[in-house]
Amino acid sequence: MGVSYIPVVRAGELSAGAMKEVDLGGRAVLVTLVDGRYFAFTKECPHEGADLSTGGQLLDGAKIRCNNHSYCFDLQSGACLVPQGGAPLTVLPVEQRGDEVCIRLEW
């Protein structure tokens, strides 16, 4: 098994609640800082593909709500909280390595 760390932002670059879009090999991923923790997740809502960078609202407790249809997702697990049992949001593991925030990829 291999592991790779892809730097996506520098520690301190994002203010709380800000989102930054990064390209991960042709896939758009958003990185955010919520409650002192970094999270990375796909830019598109799994319900109907809405752009979460412009149509998503970060909520307390590390959650994001898609403003199109009010679907709400847990940024830690990706689980769809509202409506319960909806398609999950793809989330990626994030680690701070020195002064870089990295997405961890395993294969």
Side-chain angles (χ1 to χ4, degrees), residues 9-66:
V9 297
R10 297 191 66 74
E13 179 181 335
L14 288 178
S15 58
M19 288 188 272
K20 178 181 179 181
E21 182 175 339
V22 296
D23 178 63
L24 204 59
R27 295 197 65 176
V29 174
L30 297 174
V31 179
T32 190
L33 177 63
V34 178
D35 297 334
R37 293 184 54 205
Y38 290 97
F39 296 93
F41 52 96
T42 55
K43 180 180 171 183
E44 294 181 348
C45 176
H47 172 236
E48 287 192 0
D51 183 344
L52 293 174
S53 69
T54 58
Q57 179 182 5
L58 293 169
L59 306 173
D60 289 336
K63 299 178 189 99
I64 190 166
R65 180 177 64 222
C66 178

Side-chain angles (χ1 to χ4, degrees), residues 59 63-66 70-74 78-83:
L59 306 173
K63 299 178 189 99
I64 190 166
R65 180 177 64 222
C66 178
S70 296
Y71 274 54
C72 185
F73 304 93
D74 181 323
C80 185
L81 304 172
V82 176

